[in-house]
Amino acid sequence: MAVATAANPDAKHNVTGARQAYYDKIAKDSLAPLWEVLKGLVTPEPKSTVQPKVWKFDRIKQLMMEAGEVITAEEAERRVLVLENPGMPGKSRVTNSLFAGIQLILPGEIADVHRHVASAIRFVLDGDGAYTAVEGEKTMMAHGDFIITANWAPHDHGNPGKQPVMWLDVLDMPTINHFEASFAEHFDEKMQKANFEDGDSFERYATGVLPDGMPAVTNRSPVINYPYSKMRPILERLKKTGDIDKRHGARVRYANPINGGPVLPTMGANLALFPKGFNGEPYRSTDGTVFVCAEGKGRTTIDGKDYEWGVNDVFVVPPWKRYQHHAAEEAVLFSISDKPAQQALGIWREGN
Ligand code: GTQ
Ligand code: FE2
């Protein structure tokens, strides 16, 4: 009898009665035979439960607005629809290491102050007039802005404007929970006191000078908001000078201005422009990646299948699945993954 376990569906060993009796016996001592599961544990190549998937924004927006009718931001604490990877339903994750969700805040609503060990990034999709406040800096959210809430940073959101505002949240909770290291707390006040003007951390830390003598915190960026209005012209410069990667297009990496490292130790992000007619060469890497279309439209071939995307659509590429981007018209893609965490552990790989 072959013991085919979830970890090792290809088990070939012929388990005789004596062997099985032995397995049954050692199980009572919380012991198990490695040789029955070894091939499932040490796979020759990454084996992923993550499935490719596109979430179309039109549909998300419609369903989010319905959420706005059934629950308030205050009742929900955060009104978020979780993007559940179809390969792992019920696990609240888009890849094995990352959570993703779409958050909606309606005019007049606030989402009050809390903090947690999980770090968050936000990529603003739709609507104007909402803010997020992180560690005392209140920043207005505009389409394409990339906002960071690092580990343990207090944060709250609000919408004093007239339009519903939606953004993508990506958090490293599955990573934190893998280590069983989660803490969280609420504050008594509903919103933080704004100690810093909008744009303060960007101007203070990301414009070529640094406050002299500042303590160098290097494992996270001090910048709260990397505004799209400041990033987009850089892509244009890369395009003009032909700095276009055959796989990734004209791409920048969001960096910690102190040392050029990733913005967070657990998550890293990029912004890429694909010129009209771009036909990307194949690429794969061990970091499963979440993409968001900020402008234009195109399609990505993942593992031989085409996935079409347009503005504000979100899609996920599983670890080590080969993909190629194609843009019939000029397009911009934001992307986020656990690459910095894998690099810190020395396990990140890429290929074609
Ligand atoms: O906005 O603070 O999607 O704490 C999940 C957890 C958003 C947030 C999420 C959170 C938040
Ligand atoms: Fe939060």
Side-chain angles (χ1 to χ4, degrees):
M1 174 181 112
V3 173
T5 61
N8 185 12
D10 315 316
K12 293 258 160 32
H13 297 162
N14 192 27
V15 182
T16 62
R19 235 181 234 177
Q20 187 59 54
Y22 172 72
Y23 296 169
D24 294 345
K25 179 177 169 179
I26 64 174
K28 297 195 178 83
D29 289 276
S30 299
L31 296 168
L34 173 63
W35 56 90
E36 292 294 346
V37 292
L38 182 59
K39 286 200 180 104
L41 293 172
V42 185
T43 62
E45 288 206 355
K47 218 180 205 177
S48 183
T49 47
V50 178
Q51 287 176 21
K53 159 96 188 160
V54 185
W55 286 269
K56 297 277 183 197
F57 185 68
D58 284 352
R59 181 67 179 153
I60 290 178
K61 183 168 180 174
Q62 183 193 334
L63 295 172
M64 278 255 54
M65 293 311 291
E66 287 178 25
E69 287 162 22
V70 300
I71 192 161
T72 65
E74 196 165 10
E75 284 174 292
E77 187 171 337
R78 299 295 191 258
R79 189 197 288 111
V80 174
L81 287 182
V82 181
L83 304 183
E84 286 213 306
N85 193 281
M88 301 175 277
K91 292 215 160 160
S92 302
R93 49 181 79 177
V94 68
T95 67
N96 257 292
S97 60
L98 300 180
F99 162 99
I102 307 290
Q103 184 158 174
L104 165 68
I105 186 151
L106 293 169
E109 288 187 326
I110 60 159
D112 58 14
V113 195
H114 71 194
R115 66 175 163 185
H116 35 71
V117 163
S119 295
I121 69 89
R122 324 202 185 270
F123 190 75
V124 183
L125 302 176
D126 198 48
D128 271 314
Y131 65 83
T132 187
V134 182
E135 289 182 308
E137 178 176 333
K138 189 171 167 181
T139 186
M140 295 308 290
M141 303 172 99
H143 176 77
D145 286 2
F146 171 63
I147 295 164
I148 301 171
T149 307
N151 166 4
W152 213 237
H155 54 285
D156 59 279
H157 321 299
N159 185 350
K162 293 192 166 60
Q163 301 169 4
V165 176
M166 278 174 235
W167 64 83
L168 173 77
D169 285 321
V170 179
L171 288 92
D172 57 13
M173 303 150 182
T175 302
I176 304 306
N177 291 338
H178 171 75
F179 294 109
E180 301 182 324
S182 170
F183 292 88
E185 67 185 28
H186 265 94
F187 289 72
D188 290 335
E189 66 266 33
K190 290 220 172 294
M191 54 215 295
Q192 292 175 77
K193 231 175 56 223
N195 296 322
F196 302 100
E197 285 172 26
D198 194 346
D200 182 274
S201 62
F202 189 94
E203 299 299 333
R204 196 180 289 237
Y205 300 108
T207 45
V209 293
L210 291 169
D212 195 19
M214 69 167 289
V217 176
T218 52
N219 80 337
R220 48 158 291 199
S221 173
V223 176
I224 300 308
N225 188 350
Y226 293 73
Y228 196 66
S229 61
K230 289 205 159 84
M231 304 299 120
R232 185 61 176 82
I234 303 169
L235 301 182
E236 210 58 42
R237 285 177 192 273
L238 295 179
K239 182 178 83 174
K240 277 215 185 93
T241 53
D243 292 306
I244 302 166
D245 185 274
K246 289 190 167 73
R247 301 147 316 163
H248 305 304
R251 188 166 81 155
V252 292
R253 177 173 62 81
Y254 293 93
N256 176 349
I258 308 291
N259 63 355
V263 290
L264 293 165
T266 48
M267 295 186 280
N270 293 81
L271 191 68
L273 180 148
F274 303 97
K276 183 179 160 70
F278 184 83
N279 265 310
E281 290 185 359
Y283 181 75
R284 57 181 171 165
S285 58
T286 51
D287 53 319
T289 304
V290 177
F291 289 90
V292 187
C293 174
E295 280 181 49
K297 61 180 181 197
R299 73 189 154 85
T300 298
T301 314
I302 309 170
D303 206 15
K305 224 180 129 198
D306 275 346
Y307 297 84
E308 291 193 9
W309 40 260
V311 174
N312 289 344
D313 292 349
V314 179
F315 64 98
V316 57
V317 177
W320 209 240
K321 291 285 187 249
R322 192 171 278 118
Y323 66 94
Q324 284 171 273
H325 296 305
H326 310 276
E329 60 181 65
E330 184 168 285
V332 176
L333 286 181
F334 168 83
S335 62
I336 172 125
S337 79
D338 64 11
K339 182 175 167 181
Q342 291 197 33
Q343 287 180 316
L345 298 174
I347 61 171
W348 184 78
R349 287 202 199 191
E350 63 181 340
N352 53 27

